[in-house]
Amino acid sequence: MRKERMPAPIRLRELIRTIRTARTQAEEREMIQKECAAIRSSFREEDNTYRCRNVAKLLYMHMLGYPAHFGQLECLKLIASQKFTDKRIGYLGAMLLLDERQDVHLLMTNCIKNDLNHSTQYVQGLALCTLGCMGSSEMCRDLAGEVEKLLKTSNSYLRKKAALCAVHVIRKVPELMEMFLPATKNLLNEKNHGVLHTSVVLLTEMCERSPDMLAHFRKLVPQLVRILKNLIMSGYSPEHDVSGISDPFLQVRILRLLRILGRNDDDSSEAMNDILAQVATNTETSKNVGNAILYETVLTIMDIKSESGLRVLAINILGRFLLNNDKNIRYVALTSLLKTVQTDHNAVQRHRSTIVDCLKDLDVSIKRRAMELSFALVNGNNVRGMMKELLYFLDSCEPEFKADCASGIFLAAEKYAPSKRWHIDTIMRVLTTAGSYVRDDAVPNLIQLITNSVEMHAYTVQRLYKAILGDYSQQPLVQVASWCIGEYGDLLVSGQCEEEEPIQVTEDEVLDILESVLISNMSASVTRGYALTAIMKLSTRFTCTVNRIKKVVSIYGSSIDVELQQRAVEYNALFKKYDHMRPALLERMPVMEKATTNGPTEIVQTNGETEPAVLETKPPPTGLQPTSQANDLLDLLGGNDITPVIPTAPTSKPASAGGELLDLLGDLNITGSPVSAPAPAPQISQPPFLLDGLSSQPLFNDIAAGIPSITAYSKNGLKIDFTFERSNTNPSVTVITIQASNSTELDMTDFVFQAAVPKTFQLQLLSPSSSVIPAFNSGTITQVIKVLNPQKQQLRMRIKLTYNHKGSAMQDLAEVNNFPPQSWQ
Amino acid sequence: GCPRQQTGKIHFILLFSRQGKLRLQKWYTTLPEKEKKKITREIVQIILARNQKTSSFVDWKDLKLVYKRYASLYFCCAIEDQDNELLTLEVVHRYVELLDRYFGNVCELDIIFNFEKAYFILDEFIMGGEVQETSKKSAVKAMEDSDMLQETVEEYMNKPAF
């Protein structure tokens, strides 16, 4: 077979030129494919002369996005070649194509080892660079010894590269760090800046990784301080000068190493105090380079144990940064202030107005930081002004911020609201400006807040009504508004608002809007639920439109939305069979005691005004005689002087999974026959009110109000303690918090707590924190019980405990008789 | 041991044109080829979309992108979150200065036609994501000395005429 002599492959630059003439992607692809084919044949020919040229071209095409894996082995051949040109391209190719994920990566090891010992420093340099950029752990292990040797050479060109190579080795194989320790001995004595810089990097890496190394290298602090001082004081050095500053890169790395060494160490911190002050006050701030050094200095000052004067100096530098025209400088200032706002709060407060100005910045990253910082700075003194700015920000900011901003405003308003009216207005403002960005979990919180602001009910419902009249697309807003209208619709139509001009609105108009919400395609399923329930509630608050309400409710009894359908069916049932219960079931929500997140000193005074305890509750239901049907709990209690938790009635309704009414009416026997046989009582966790959307929150009040706690039960390692709180607004209510703990060595799982009280009491059990009590007293289950005791009788309780322990099912009954008098008198 | 605070390492450097064409990519971490392509596309898009009034820094995943445009070329450095962004701007600037010193009034075409030189220069300045030489003179001298070692002058002229 006659072998044709191949023409010389085209030169690299010529190929580049040719490819750039391609007018379309397709044309380019064609050229590339043609050239790749040529290169492949050339590789097959094992041509040494042009291998370098071909690999270079391949690397170019690789950068354009084309596959180049078939060149991997060729790179290895180039590396093994004696020609420097070959090695240069070979190593470049290796760094681009032969990372540690490639099978042939390790084949480089021997070549690199040889080249590390080459007589030409530039060849050694290539090998060090390749190893130090992308050597795998295995390769690093194999060659660490060579690197360590080179770290001790007097050739500064090689020494600096060896130092960074060592850094890479340590990052890949941390256990090898120790072996480099001896070589670090005189690293800082070097005059060569390259070596100094890389040495500082190496020392930093070692100190960050090992507390022992850190302790060992602390003695270098004086030397580092001296080097830094020389850099600052030295005259102009053209080689290292950047805008009048000598070697800013080295200065910054030294500052960083000082930070690590000075952290948590008084002596080291003191030793660097002066130089830090010097750098902080003398560095030129007109250019970025000076500010880069100042920035690093500030970070160091804030992180070590510096004197307060130095810290204030640092914060003031950041404050000045905030005023800089350069947005990059403003950006870093905000980032740093965000980090220090907790620890140096007062110092940062001084720059509050500048920070607030940054809310108007055009850069998104700056705006975000300014927003976070602003929230961190809100307190009781500045809340009005700050909220004004933040509400304005909420109005105008990008959508990506709105959710966080809304949440932040709610939180700050809750903590620092100067008045109830202001609080409601702020909530309204957020709901109307960013109503669709408000987080879902904000809705129940807001409802609770509104419930508790009793004298603002008329105002709130009026404002909410007006807000959704024009636009009912913002779901959280509509949900809150629907709930309020359902709850306070009577105040709305009777025009009771005092805070502003009461509007004239009829019952029909109110129902119109709620029905529009129901019908609208924009309304989420949850929102529809709110609207329907609101309509239902109005049946006890409105007088003229009950028939209309009945009609609406009956229509939705056949809605395809299962949630809606279920509700409608239950409400229908209320109209038909349980009409006598309707008023009680739908009565006004009582004030809920809110969980406070701060310590005991900050409980009730979240609002500036004292709360007049005006509860518009209707008198407790009297028409609810317990039937002679035994509630499941009766079985628990076994006696007839004990009242069931909730009155029951038989029904032929199909059972469904939860739906408040079913729970309200107790456990229903599916077959409809009277419940007489004992049956295991499930946890009754739903409160006996229609709590649409309200999550049952644990009602912890940090002030125990001096009522002593009791241990209600203690047996077999299970201990249950009761702590008591009395309601400020309703003296018949006692809130008991139970804490169950387990001192045995195995967890108690599936724990269920049940309770029953005498006839004259009423009980409400909220959801427990969990169903597992961990062993060794390492955690507890908490649960809240509310007891209504209008006749102020002595409190007694029977409890039933069931749980699994050590593989068996446990059960126990007990009576609690040791309630302290303060808990019920 | 101490939790390692991330300070200092550059994760990758990308050079690209205003049309989004890649001119250089240096990765100091190991990633699959596909991933690198995806990241590059994403970042090019993000940076080309930035307007003049924004800062030079972009929060991206758990890294920060520091970028600056020199004539028709964007230089983008990805650093760790704790790192000094202002100094990274100086690092980028220093690289451009080195290219300028080596090529003489460097422009995008120099980088296109001599991409391998751009890599060589970078490798004299940064290694493993860390600055290795802070003297302009030294870095360029190493380049020029290495060039002298090359066996043929054909392919690797210092200042190609085109």
Side-chain angles (χ1 to χ4, degrees), chain A residues 12-13 53 62 84-85 88 100 122 157 160-161 171 208 239 247 253 288 296 327-328 363, chain B residues 7 30 33 53 55-56 84 90 113 116 124 130-135 145 147 150-151 155:
Chain A
L12 168 66
R13 322 250 180 250
R53 183 184 290 186
H62 175 252
F84 182 71
T85 317
R88 231 181 171 188
E100 60 189 289
Y122 295 111
Y157 177 78
K160 73 184 184 200
K161 290 184 189 273
R171 284 175 179 162
E208 280 178 327
E239 216 185 316
D247 205 341
R253 288 315 302 237
N288 179 67
E296 195 75 32
K327 22 186 162 33
N328 294 334
D363 182 313
Chain B
T7 50
T30 308
E33 190 70 34
K53 307 231 170 90
S55 67
S56 307
N84 185 328
E90 294 300 320
F113 279 91
E116 82 280 14
E124 288 299 329
E130 304 279 1
V131 167
Q132 95 185 242
E133 178 57 70
T134 59
S135 156
D145 288 353
D147 287 346
Q150 287 184 174
E151 287 79 1
E155 194 81 57

Side-chain angles (χ1 to χ4, degrees), chain A residues 185 188 203 216-225 261:
Chain A
K185 203 156 174 184
L188 292 185
L203 291 169
H216 172 80
F217 285 124
R218 276 221 175 90
K219 60 177 190 263
L220 293 177
V221 169
Q223 193 172 13
L224 288 165
V225 169
L261 295 172

